[in-house]
Amino acid sequence: MTLRIHNNDKVLRAPQAIIFDTDNTLYAYDRPHSQALAAAERKAAKLLGVAADEVSGAFARAREDVKRQLGKTASSHSRLLYFQRGIEILGRKTQLVITLDLEQTYWRTFLSHCELFPGVREFLQALRSSGIGTAIITDLTSQIQFRKIIYFGLDDCFDYVVTSEEAGADKPQEAPFRLAIDKLGIDPARIWMIGDHPVNDIAGARPFGISTLLRVDRNHEGRDAGCDVEFDDFTELHQFFFSGKVDGVSQFAGAHAR
């Protein structure tokens, strides 16, 4: 697909700040997750002396249990809690050393398989050069989300980071968006939100009057996501943003940053 504008009035005026989601917006989540979970399950099977399929089933059930108990909170995404509960489901009681080992194995493997989408870094650098504010709203606990941003070398690309742990609630609840807006100190009507999830990112941002941009997978067949823009390529978004079509954005700044 190419970049699709659904609401010219919302995106042909330069924002003062852009808020980004992280997972599946700046990088592809599924492959690193699959590799990391497989590595943790292999280690668990070896350390606990349990068949691989039993480990896999216990961890899947543990994830459901944790999410059901904690609801839409940062801790509901905790691999540490998934592994603790999974080991207990396997009848091994609480095994703190193994649980910590599995969590470290998961995230070490996860990060080693992560890659930013093409054009992300260049777009962020161009925004910085143009004086446009930047922030992140992301679900999960702060420590691992901070580690991801640092791993990608993007820690100097954002003015503010808001995690659902800090906000006390996951998207699309109001708290993370309200906290990011307060930190930026900018009228929401002059803010863009870029994310991959029609509900968590797009529907969550819309009540504030924020302009919404949905990153979709390539060859995506359009759906009514209620967003102002759909795109699948940050390089194309970069070119659009600095093309002169967005009023108040300097073409020179975008070209200089590339």
Side-chain angles (χ1 to χ4, degrees), residues 161-211:
V161 175
V162 171
T163 65
S164 60
E165 180 179 30
E166 179 188 13
D170 281 352
K171 297 174 293 182
Q173 297 177 77
E174 177 181 333
F177 295 96
R178 175 55 61 195
L179 183 55
I181 292 167
D182 289 347
K183 287 188 178 188
L184 287 166
I186 293 172
D187 180 352
R190 300 302 305 277
I191 297 174
W192 288 10
M193 173 75 202
I194 298 179
D196 73 292
H197 200 287
V199 175
N200 295 346
D201 300 317
I202 304 307
R206 195 183 305 121
F208 293 94
I210 294 172
S211 299

Side-chain angles (χ1 to χ4, degrees), residues 16-207:
Q16 293 180 350
I18 299 180
I19 299 173
F20 294 80
D21 171 53
T22 304
D23 303 315
N24 264 338
T25 296
L26 303 181
Y27 75 99
Y29 169 86
D30 289 345
R31 178 174 176 270
H33 168 66
S34 295
Q35 296 286 339
L37 184 58
E41 289 178 351
R42 286 194 299 271
K43 176 169 278 192
K46 180 178 179 181
L47 292 176
L48 298 170
V50 178
D53 60 339
E54 290 185 60
V55 170
S56 179
F59 285 176
R61 178 181 157 193
R63 179 178 181 273
E64 294 175 359
D65 287 353
V66 169
K67 285 189 174 296
R68 182 170 54 252
Q69 179 168 346
L70 296 179
K72 282 189 164 293
T73 63
S75 296
S76 72
H77 307 281
S78 171
R79 274 56 180 181
L80 193 68
L81 296 181
Y82 297 171
F83 295 142
Q84 176 191 354
R85 180 66 183 131
I87 291 170
E88 292 167 354
I89 288 171
L90 289 167
R92 297 301 194 273
K93 300 185 179 180
T94 299
Q95 301 289 327
L96 297 182
V97 173
I98 295 176
T99 298
L100 288 167
D101 188 1
L102 295 180
E103 193 233 11
Q104 289 300 313
T105 296
Y106 177 91
W107 287 119
R108 183 170 58 248
T109 306
F110 185 97
L111 291 173
S112 71
H113 287 84
C114 283
E115 291 184 30
L116 286 175
F117 288 126
V120 166
R121 191 183 309 278
E122 293 78 9
F123 184 50
L124 288 168
Q125 290 170 343
L127 294 176
R128 301 293 274 178
S129 297
S130 301
I132 295 170
T134 53
I136 280 177
I137 299 178
T138 183
D139 292 341
L140 224 161
T141 53
S142 298
Q143 188 204 54
I144 186 56
Q145 298 305 75
F146 290 0
R147 284 176 61 189
K148 290 177 187 176
I149 296 165
I150 293 169
Y151 175 83
F152 287 130
L154 300 179
D155 44 306
D156 62 347
C157 290
F158 296 99
D159 297 313
Y160 299 102
V161 175
V162 171
T163 65
S164 60
E165 180 179 30
E166 179 188 13
D170 281 352
K171 297 174 293 182
Q173 297 177 77
E174 177 181 333
F177 295 96
R178 175 55 61 195
L179 183 55
I181 292 167
D182 289 347
K183 287 188 178 188
L184 287 166
I186 293 172
D187 180 352
R190 300 302 305 277
I191 297 174
W192 288 10
M193 173 75 202
I194 298 179
D196 73 292
H197 200 287
V199 175
N200 295 346
D201 300 317
I202 304 307
R206 195 183 305 121

Side-chain angles (χ1 to χ4, degrees), residues 184-244:
L184 287 166
I186 293 172
D187 180 352
R190 300 302 305 277
I191 297 174
W192 288 10
M193 173 75 202
I194 298 179
D196 73 292
H197 200 287
V199 175
N200 295 346
D201 300 317
I202 304 307
R206 195 183 305 121
F208 293 94
I210 294 172
S211 299
T212 55
L213 289 80
L214 181 70
R215 191 209 70 79
V216 298
D217 292 329
R218 194 172 295 276
N219 300 321
H220 167 81
E221 295 297 330
R223 62 180 180 275
D224 182 12
C227 60
D228 299 310
V229 174
E230 284 182 277
F231 73 99
D232 63 2
D233 184 344
F234 272 95
T235 300
E236 186 178 11
L237 178 62
H238 185 157
Q239 292 169 348
F240 163 74
F241 194 83
F242 293 100
S243 66

